[in-house]
């Protein structure tokens, strides 16, 4: 089963060959924006700029499986020669939240739910289809690497 969403070129009329593609994912687990940023030049790194909403977004590098922090307004992306970077973005929340997982969409399609209860300081998440993967959660100044998200049948 696919995601039911189609990627689109960002800045379609700015370049002869769009080098940034994006797919918005409105899922049970929340809203995610996934960007693929390309560098067709095999000899030199490239810097690409992605325009963002003015509200802070968490930024997760899928292939490096690394939390990159937050960004607002725009994001400068360094892409290695002949490379591509896949970045998953979510609106930043001031409590524990999942920002990425070892699924190509950062976990958006496999998470069936996630929530944080401030009164008990409890975070809960579940996945669908018996999928196991690692998830990342930024909180305060650190990023926690959590094991397997609970599985649903």
């Amino acid at each position: 089963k696919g995601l039911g969403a189609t990627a689109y070129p960002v800045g379609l009329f700015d370049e002869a060959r769009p080098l940034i593609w994006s797919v918005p994912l409105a899922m049970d687990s929340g809203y995610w924006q996934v960007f693929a940023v390309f560098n067709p030049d095999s000899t030199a790194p490239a810097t690409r700029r992605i325009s963002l909403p003015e509200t802070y977004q968490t930024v997760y590098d899928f292939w490096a499986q690394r939390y990159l922090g937050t960004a607002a307004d725009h994001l400068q992306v360094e892409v290695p020669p002949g490379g591509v970077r896949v970045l998953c973005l979510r609106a930043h929340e001031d409590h524990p939240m999942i920002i990425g997982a070892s699924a190509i969409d950062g976990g958006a399609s496999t998470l069936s739910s996630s929530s944080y209860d401030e009164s008990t300081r409890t975070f809960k998440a579940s996945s669908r289809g018996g999928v196991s993967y690692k998830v990342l959660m930024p909180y305060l100044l650190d990023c926690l690497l959590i094991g397997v998200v609970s599985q649903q049948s």
Side-chain angles (χ1 to χ4, degrees), residues 101-141:
S102 55
I104 189 65
D105 59 8
S109 65
T110 54
L111 282 173
S112 57
S113 68
S114 67
S115 63
Y116 180 72
D117 183 337
E118 183 67 43
S119 65
T120 61
R121 298 182 62 133
T122 304
F123 181 85
K124 294 181 181 180
S126 59
S127 67
R128 56 174 67 87
V131 177
S132 298
Y133 52 89
K134 295 179 182 177
V135 296
L136 289 173
M137 299 171 56
Y139 192 62
L140 300 176
L141 299 175

Side-chain angles (χ1 to χ4, degrees), residues 40 44 67 88 141:
Y67 172 57
C88 303
L141 299 175

Side-chain angles (χ1 to χ4, degrees), residues 20-49:
I20 301 173
W21 288 74
S22 182
V23 61
L25 300 172
M27 311 301 282
D28 294 339
S29 58
Y31 180 81
W32 306 63
Q33 188 81 26
V34 179
F35 290 92
V37 186
F38 296 88
N39 178 9
D41 185 342
S42 62
T43 61
T47 301
R48 307 271 184 251
R49 179 185 166 110

Side-chain angles (χ1 to χ4, degrees), residues 80-115:
V84 62
R85 296 199 48 203
V86 176
L87 304 174
C88 303
L89 281 72
R90 294 190 76 181
H92 179 73
E93 299 175 12
D94 288 327
H95 57 75
M97 61 181 281
I98 293 177
I99 57 152
S102 55
I104 189 65
D105 59 8
S109 65
T110 54
L111 282 173
S112 57
S113 68
S114 67
S115 63

